[in-house]
Amino acid sequence: DAFLEANKGAAAVLPRIIPIGDIDEDELIFAQAATGALAETALALPRPIEPLERRLILTQLVNKWAAGSEVRGAEGTPLVANTPAAALALADDLARLMDDMITRGVGWDALDKLVPEQYDKYWQLSVALLGLIRKFWPEELDNRGAIEPAKRRDLLIEAESERLKRSDAPVIAAGSTGSMPATARLIATVAGLPNGAVVLPGLDM
């Protein structure tokens, strides 16, 4: 309706509108939009691991970790809850943390800069669990021929950025603050295009 009003009711070719950061939609749209080597790269990416699949794998890993002797006190009492519900909750927290690390561009090597010995026992346990995930998870993904959804999204956004660099079509990025590094790079690419424009939300010049 807005385009019809602006064009005074005349027919027009509508722009292709892509939601930024929508994993399910962007996977398809960005891959289809790319051409040549970019399309081959995008379409050859491993499948994203399913949320339920990831949740169950992480729950099994948490259960195994919680049953270990290093997660028990001096008298053998558990230091963390080891019920199925607790394992599921912790698996969900781990999944959110991993997504956030990928989105923010934080690698597992950031764990090396932590100093758990300066904090209490439970902090040390958390770091130990993250260290276990660090070793186990990449290999698990490789064995399953899968990739983190957030990582796949970022790779597809990068492929779209490369495609846009080779295009002279008008492109407008609107409504995003670029809070995600991958999105910020995409917006920067649009801003540098000959026919590109960026509309920042809430910015009154």
Side-chain angles (χ1 to χ4, degrees):
D1 290 343
F3 284 107
L4 283 172
E5 181 180 349
N7 214 33
K8 301 186 186 305
V13 177
L14 295 179
R16 184 170 62 92
I17 301 175
I18 302 174
I20 298 178
D22 188 320
I23 296 176
D24 293 334
E25 295 295 331
D26 286 357
E27 282 183 356
L28 298 175
I29 298 172
F30 284 167
Q32 292 171 353
T35 56
L38 292 177
E40 183 178 352
T41 299
L43 296 174
L45 289 174
R47 69 173 180 87
I49 190 167
E50 296 295 333
L52 179 59
E53 180 183 12
R54 179 172 68 165
R55 189 184 193 199
L56 293 176
I57 297 170
L58 289 176
T59 299
Q60 291 176 346
L61 187 64
V62 169
N63 272 327
K64 182 178 179 181
W65 169 76
S69 58
E70 67 276 5
V71 194
R72 296 185 176 275
E75 299 180 359
T77 55
L79 297 178
V80 296
N82 54 6
T83 64
L88 277 171
L90 185 51
D92 290 340
D93 287 340
L94 282 171
R96 282 191 292 269
L97 175 63
M98 291 191 295
D99 285 342
D100 197 43
M101 289 174 65
I102 294 171
T103 297
R104 304 300 169 190
V106 177
W108 286 108
D109 55 353
L111 294 176
D112 299 334
K113 301 175 185 178
L114 299 178
V115 282
E117 64 276 0
Q118 296 183 11
Y119 300 95
D120 63 28
K121 177 69 174 179
Y122 292 99
W123 174 264
Q124 297 178 38
L125 290 175
S126 298
V127 174
L129 175 59
L130 291 176
L132 180 63
I133 297 293
R134 174 185 184 178
K135 296 177 181 178
F136 169 84
W137 193 243
E139 182 178 344
E140 181 70 16
L141 288 176
D142 287 342
N143 291 339
R144 293 174 178 271
I147 191 174
E148 287 284 3
K151 179 64 175 177
R152 195 171 196 275
R153 174 205 62 209
D154 287 354
L155 291 173
L156 289 171
I157 290 177
E158 290 176 11
E160 176 70 353
S161 294
E162 289 300 317
R163 185 191 72 84
L164 291 176
K165 290 178 182 178
R166 307 177 187 187
S167 171
D168 59 356
V171 181
I172 301 173
S176 174
T177 59
S179 58
M180 291 167 33
T183 303
R185 290 191 293 270
L186 176 63
I187 292 174
T189 297
V190 172
L193 295 176
N195 294 312
V198 174
V199 180
L200 297 174
L203 179 62
D204 186 356
M205 301 298 289

